[in-house]
Amino acid sequence: MDSEFPYALTPLPEEAQTKLKAKFLGFSGGLVDVEGRHTMPAHYARFAKQYFDYEFQDDDVLVMTFPRSGTTWTQEIVWTMRNQVDVDTASKVPLDARVPFIEFDSLYPEHLPLSAPIEEAFRKRHPGEDPREKGVFLDLVNALPSPRTIKTHLPFSLFKPDLLDKCKVVYVARNPKDVCVSFYHQQRLVKVAEFSGDFPEYVDFWTQDLLLRAPYWSHLAEGWARRHHPNVLFLFYEDMKENILGELGRLNTFLGTGLMESQLHTVAQHTSFSGMKSRGTTNPTAALQEAGEFKKGEAGFIRKGTTGDWTNFFTPELEEKFQKWMEKWQPTSQEIPFKYHIKKPE
Ligand code: PPS
């Protein structure tokens, strides 16, 4: 049964919008705040209730993350594990068709045309209906055969409270300094945002939680609070980097996939950084640059894949600013035991 969408969507204050629009050329439509728990483009308002009410199936698995925390890596892992290690299909069919991004309609710029094959597929399934209104990306989720694996960056509270009675969630977290650096590069790359400033300017926005998808810590707090729930597996990007086979073993148990040791090795190999960077199915940088969704001349979507890259970007001044921001977000920022360096050589 439908429920009310429980939060107010409020445009960010005028002053913040002006600052954001000056540096993020993609935010021309403005951003809305969802009662301090998330920040989205204004057209999220058309879809918020549909996402909140979404009827998940009991064999759905959601990969839920704050952006740039290892989503794509985990999507590829989970799909491959849940599909009998079918690396042939995984190497041919784009990841976003196998593991669709449920809220992408609310991010996709209104001024950019939809990709022709996606729009055509929608029109075949829903003759006479408006793809922008109904949501072509949401429709990809609906059209996916079970068992479905679905990507989201929305936090738990933007889905119905019974989400975990319905399906499983793999929540992935990554230390905020590496996320900040990675998100900086991605926000320069994607036309949805088109950030035109430098890294210190980006940290300025970050530490004021003036960002698409902010605040980081409230998203993390929601995931962390549910980490012991039997239908949640809470993973750290840094643990995956340090010991991928160990984390694949945990996923194997959680997902009930029953894969043998040799198959887990195949999954690890198939989802290695170099493998995923080289395949167009997981790294759409070149294709999306051609399609006009990504800017040319920026670092790619799958960029460096390391822990500790933040040390190449943070000056002592930026570290101090970041530290103050961390203090503001206590106790969550203290409670979650992030690693900022890992032992394994890159
Ligand atoms: S997004 O845009 O939110 O969906 O990005 P997301 O996939 O969450 O995170 C992107 C970062 O993950 C790195 N990545 C990987 N690291 C290790 N191994 C594999 N296989 C892998 N695939 C992607 C990617 O390079 C981004 O991190 P940075 O630090 O920018 O390189």
Side-chain angles (χ1 to χ4, degrees):
M1 203 176 64
D2 269 15
S3 43
E4 286 297 306
F5 184 67
Y7 312 108
L9 299 178
T10 316
L12 295 192
E14 186 88 21
E15 197 190 330
Q17 300 268 23
T18 308
K19 255 167 69 177
L20 281 162
K21 284 178 189 174
K23 288 290 169 182
F24 292 82
L25 309 181
F27 293 170
S28 53
L31 297 181
V32 292
D33 163 62
V34 192
E35 294 195 11
R37 57 191 68 233
H38 211 53
T39 308
M40 287 294 275
H43 58 294
Y44 169 70
R46 281 214 310 277
F47 297 97
K49 188 165 158 21
Q50 285 193 68
Y51 303 147
F52 189 78
D53 284 335
Y54 195 78
E55 286 297 336
F56 288 98
Q57 300 167 3
D58 60 9
D59 55 358
D60 284 342
V61 172
L62 255 79
V63 174
M64 181 186 282
T65 58
F66 187 85
R68 307 308 284 174
S69 301
T71 330
T72 315
W73 188 11
T74 310
Q75 286 172 264
E76 186 70 350
I77 288 172
V78 173
W79 187 91
T80 308
M81 292 183 71
R82 299 187 82 206
N83 286 275
Q84 298 81 43
V85 197
D86 181 0
V87 294
D88 288 339
T89 303
S91 305
K92 285 184 199 129
V93 180
L95 180 59
D96 57 7
R98 289 178 283 120
V99 185
F101 187 7
I102 189 166
E103 74 269 22
F104 198 50
D105 293 288
S106 62
L107 289 170
Y108 195 86
E110 304 235 83
H111 63 276
L112 278 187
L114 291 166
S115 106
I118 288 187
E119 186 168 345
E120 263 165 43
F122 175 91
R123 289 193 189 282
K124 260 193 204 143
R125 282 195 287 268
H126 308 280
E129 293 198 51
D130 181 345
R132 290 279 186 173
E133 275 308 308
K134 199 166 160 100
V136 288
F137 298 100
L138 187 59
D139 190 55
L140 285 182
V141 179
N142 293 333
L144 204 66
S146 295
R148 306 185 300 184
T149 305
I150 301 164
K151 161 181 172 174
T152 188
H153 291 314
L154 294 174
F156 274 104
S157 58
L158 297 188
F159 295 105
K160 262 197 298 213
D162 67 355
L163 176 72
L164 292 175
D165 303 335
K166 295 277 172 65
C167 63
K168 293 186 178 178
V169 172
V170 178
Y171 189 99
V172 190
R174 185 183 191 187
N175 82 69
K177 286 183 176 169
D178 279 325
V179 171
C180 179
V181 169
S182 181
F183 210 6
Y184 159 70
H185 287 100
Q186 189 252 29
Q187 292 283 278
R188 291 186 59 91
L189 175 71
V190 298
K191 288 283 182 71
V192 178
E194 214 177 336
F195 182 61
S196 61
D198 57 18
F199 185 66
E201 286 174 297
Y202 186 76
V203 173
D204 216 40
F205 284 107
W206 176 285
T207 51
Q208 295 175 71
D209 295 301
L210 270 185
L211 288 181
L212 187 69
R213 303 303 195 155
Y216 170 89
W217 286 115
S218 64
H219 198 299
L220 272 284
E222 291 195 29
W224 187 242
R226 290 164 178 82
R227 69 193 182 282
H228 298 307
H229 191 290
N231 277 342
V232 174
L233 183 67
F234 192 102
L235 298 176
F236 285 104
Y237 176 94
E238 294 78 14
D239 292 343
M240 292 165 67
K241 286 290 300 179
E242 261 184 337
N243 177 14
I244 188 61
L245 285 172
E247 298 309 288
L248 292 183
R250 291 180 68 207
L251 272 163
N252 203 18
T253 306
F254 177 71
L255 299 170
T257 34
L259 300 179
M260 295 177 309
E261 198 66 27
S262 60
Q263 291 176 297
L264 295 183
H265 274 94
T266 306
V267 173
Q269 203 174 26
H270 172 74
T271 60
S272 69
F273 178 76
S274 55
M276 285 187 56
K277 189 170 171 115
S278 67
R279 282 194 305 274
T281 48
T282 44
N283 186 4
T285 309
L288 293 184
Q289 279 171 336
E290 279 320 303
E293 282 183 49
F294 284 2
K295 234 176 112 180
K296 293 188 177 163
E298 299 293 338
F301 181 75
I302 296 193
R303 192 183 60 94
K304 205 162 175 187
T306 59
T307 291
D309 190 33
W310 63 269
T311 55
N312 297 316
F313 290 86
F314 276 78
T315 59
E317 293 75 40
L318 294 179
E319 279 217 58
E320 200 183 316
K321 203 181 244 190
F322 214 77
Q323 195 51 39
K324 285 203 179 111
W325 169 76
M326 301 267 281
E327 279 158 22
K328 195 184 108 196
W329 281 99
Q330 284 180 13
T332 310
S333 62
Q334 253 186 339
E335 258 170 39
I336 307 183
F338 278 118
K339 293 177 188 161
Y340 291 87
H341 300 276
I342 55 172
K343 289 183 209 93
K344 195 178 160 187
E346 301 299 346

